[in-house]
């Protein structure tokens, strides 16, 4: 009798496994192409996307292309050959995917530009944050912290560090910040001792921390070596802010801590915020960005052509935009989530997202991802 029960149990287990496998096999294959593991946020995006798509029954092929545009082309080609139904892509270089995405188009694959727009390719949708607002939030933080509207005759020195010229977002971040601060620059309240006022002069290829460090060391040596006070280092994101903060620690002679801005809520940068080496970061909840992408893909694979109505289905606030993001072939309909400012006084908001928790000493934030 015992033997019979054991056999029935085994048969049942095999059956349920078979049923589960059959269900998973039925799921469409989704190709997710991330740029690099060396920038912290893409590890988080990759994890959330994979986790959420698999939980919804899809199969996922996830690649990281080492910040190498040629490798990303190959990785995407392989995913096309593997029969993906949808490609979710963060472009390493927005201008080098046209040809491989022509292949995707011919194979009837839907392409979603994730976070960064892809130029000159048939992209069905763009899912991102309001990129211009990211820069506005950084600038607004500076305006409030220094009360620039009531500065009177006071003047402050500012230097900019921007992102990767191959990334369509980088210009939006820089312009959002620069445009917002321009009235104060024009009025003479903000001065730029280096004279570096254009995106090209302050861009940081591949968003490299090392390059940002080196560039800022040069700026400090050339324009601040005589004791000139630096008040603000406006950095477009956390990987560049990490380099700039490091340069300030090692090479800045002044005894004030300049305001240092950032973006992404990377763990090391949040530690720097606690320790006072960075002042703020613009947070973009990438678990929500993944969630929006899943809802969008679900709708597309169910035959819909989603528009503004889809935002009702998102767990997070997002706007449907059909004006801003022209990729050279036309405006790409976009779902844009909402970024917000984080500094040492509201770190708890990050805990509220569920994506971070306090460490054992209740001092620094750590990720809730494994
Ligand atoms: C941007 C992205 C930012 C930042 C940066 C560096 O495209 O929007 O959040 O992570 O890349 O990877």
């Amino acid at each position: 009798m015992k033997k019979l029960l054991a056999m029935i149990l085994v048969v049942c287990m095999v059956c349920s496994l078979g049923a589960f496998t059959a269900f998973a096999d039925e799921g469409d294959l989704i190709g997710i192409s991330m740029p690099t593991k060396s920038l912290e946020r893409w590890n988080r995006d990759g994890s959330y996307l994979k986790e959420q798509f698999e939980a919804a029954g899809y199969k996922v092929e996830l690649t990281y292309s080492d910040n190498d545009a040629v490798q990303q082309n190959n990785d995407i080609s392989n995913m096309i050959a593997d029969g993906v139904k949808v490609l979710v892509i963060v472009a390493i270089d927005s201008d080098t995917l046209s040809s491989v995405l022509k292949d995707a188009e011919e194979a009837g694959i839907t392409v979603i530009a994730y976070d960064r727009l892809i130029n000159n390719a048939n992209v069905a949708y763009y899912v991102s944050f309001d990129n211009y607002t990211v820069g506005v939030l950084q600038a607004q933080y500076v305006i409030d912290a220094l009360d620039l509207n009531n500065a009177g005759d006071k003047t402050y020195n500012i230097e900019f560090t921007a992102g990767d010229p191959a990334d369509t977002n980088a210009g939006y971040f820089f312009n959002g910040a620069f445009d917002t601060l321009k009235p104060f620059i024009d009025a003479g309240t903000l001065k730029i001792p280096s004279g570096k006022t254009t995106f090209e002069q302050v861009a940081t290829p591949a968003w490299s921390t090392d390059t940002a460090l080196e560039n800022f060391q040069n700026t400090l040596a050339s324009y601040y070596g005589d004791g000139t006070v630096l008040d603000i280092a406006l950095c477009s994101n956390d990987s560049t802010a990490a380099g700039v903060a490091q340069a300030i620690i090692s090479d800045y002679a002044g005894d004030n801590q300049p305001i240092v801005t950032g973006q992404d809520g990377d763990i090391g940068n949040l530690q720097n915020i606690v320790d006072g080496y960075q002042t703020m970061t613009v947070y973009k909840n990438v678990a929500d960005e993944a969630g929006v992408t899943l809802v969008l893909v679900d709708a597309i694979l169910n035959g819909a052509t989603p528009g503004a109505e889809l935002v009702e289905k998102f767990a997070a606030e997002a706007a449907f935009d059909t004006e801003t993001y022209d990729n050279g072939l036309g405006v790409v309909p976009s779902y844009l989530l909402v970024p917000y400012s984080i500094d040492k006084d509201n770190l708890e908001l990050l805990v509220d997202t569920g994506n971070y928790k306090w460490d054992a000493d209740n001092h620094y934030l750590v990720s809730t991802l494994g």
Side-chain angles (χ1 to χ4, degrees):
M1 182 65 183
K2 254 193 191 161
K3 241 186 182 171
L4 187 68
L5 274 178
M7 264 174 66
I8 292 172
L9 200 69
V10 168
V11 170
C12 285
M13 275 168 69
V14 170
C15 286
S16 61
L17 206 68
F20 177 76
T21 313
F23 171 71
D25 276 345
E26 272 164 29
D28 288 320
L29 182 61
I30 310 295
I32 299 175
S33 171
M34 290 282 125
T36 174
K37 289 199 161 193
S38 67
L39 290 160
E40 184 183 311
R41 71 158 289 189
W42 305 119
N43 296 278
R44 279 185 272 134
D45 289 82
S47 298
Y48 288 124
L49 283 162
K50 187 167 186 309
E51 191 179 285
Q52 294 186 27
F53 273 87
E54 285 180 347
Y58 292 101
K59 286 181 288 181
V60 168
E61 192 172 335
L62 169 64
T63 57
Y64 285 87
S65 307
D66 216 10
N67 252 346
D68 176 344
V70 175
Q71 191 184 323
Q72 184 167 43
N73 264 275
N74 293 337
D75 289 340
I76 292 171
S77 267
N78 289 337
M79 293 198 273
I80 294 172
D82 289 345
V84 296
K85 281 269 165 59
V86 176
L87 278 163
V88 176
I89 301 171
V90 181
I92 292 167
D93 184 328
S94 326
D95 291 316
T96 56
L97 292 173
S98 308
S99 146
V100 75
L101 293 186
K102 194 93 206 135
D103 297 345
E105 186 181 347
E106 276 156 20
I109 297 167
T110 301
V111 175
I112 294 179
Y114 182 90
D115 206 85
R116 300 175 179 171
L117 190 60
I118 303 167
N119 289 330
N120 298 310
N122 191 356
V123 174
Y125 289 92
Y126 177 44
V127 176
S128 194
F129 286 78
D130 183 334
N131 294 302
Y132 187 84
T133 295
V134 170
V136 172
L137 287 172
Q138 293 165 338
Q140 193 57 51
Y141 190 93
V142 170
I143 293 167
D144 295 343
L146 298 176
D147 196 13
L148 293 187
N149 283 310
N150 298 303
D153 291 341
K154 267 189 137 181
T155 63
Y156 297 94
N157 292 330
I158 182 168
E159 298 294 342
F160 289 83
T161 295
D164 186 350
D167 175 347
T168 43
N169 288 349
Y172 285 99
F173 301 149
F174 176 80
N175 289 336
F178 200 89
D179 294 352
T180 308
L181 293 175
K182 192 158 183 300
F184 300 98
I185 296 169
D186 291 346
T189 307
L190 290 178
K191 302 205 178 301
I192 310 174
S194 72
K196 294 176 192 165
T197 53
T198 64
F199 172 77
E200 289 73 21
Q201 288 173 307
V202 295
T204 313
W207 297 93
S208 156
T209 298
D210 289 345
T211 306
L213 165 65
E214 204 176 303
N215 288 348
F216 216 72
Q217 282 175 325
N218 290 337
T219 296
L220 290 174
S222 304
Y223 306 99
Y224 293 84
D226 60 358
T228 301
V229 172
L230 172 68
D231 298 291
I232 308 135
L234 194 305
C235 306
S236 283
N237 88 328
D238 279 354
S239 62
T240 56
V244 167
Q246 176 99 43
I248 290 171
I249 292 170
S250 61
D251 289 52
Y252 176 54
D255 47 21
N256 65 312
Q257 168 62 50
I259 291 175
V260 178
T261 67
Q263 168 189 194
D264 284 339
D266 287 353
I267 297 300
N269 296 76
L270 296 175
Q271 293 194 0
N272 270 354
I273 288 177
V274 170
D275 292 339
Y277 301 123
Q278 184 171 325
T279 318
M280 63 86 74
T281 188
V282 173
Y283 183 59
K284 307 196 295 196
N285 188 332
V286 298
D288 286 345
E289 193 175 7
V292 163
T293 307
L294 173 61
V295 172
L296 174 61
V297 168
D298 266 342
I300 294 168
L301 291 180
N302 280 315
T305 307
E309 77 296 337
L310 198 72
V311 301
E312 312 274 311
K313 298 217 167 120
F314 300 152
E317 189 186 341
F320 184 60
D321 178 306
T322 52
E323 280 168 17
T324 311
Y325 292 98
D326 191 325
N327 79 343
L329 297 187
V331 175
V332 180
S334 310
Y335 293 100
L336 304 174
L337 292 98
V338 183
Y340 52 93
S341 289
I342 290 290
D343 68 4
K344 65 174 176 10
D345 297 325
N346 66 358
L347 286 167
E348 197 62 35
L349 286 181
L350 294 183
V351 178
D352 295 344
T353 65
N355 303 333
Y356 298 83
K357 61 184 181 191
W358 291 104
D359 67 2
D361 299 329
N362 253 343
H363 189 59
Y364 292 128
L365 288 176
V366 292
S367 170
T368 51
L369 279 168

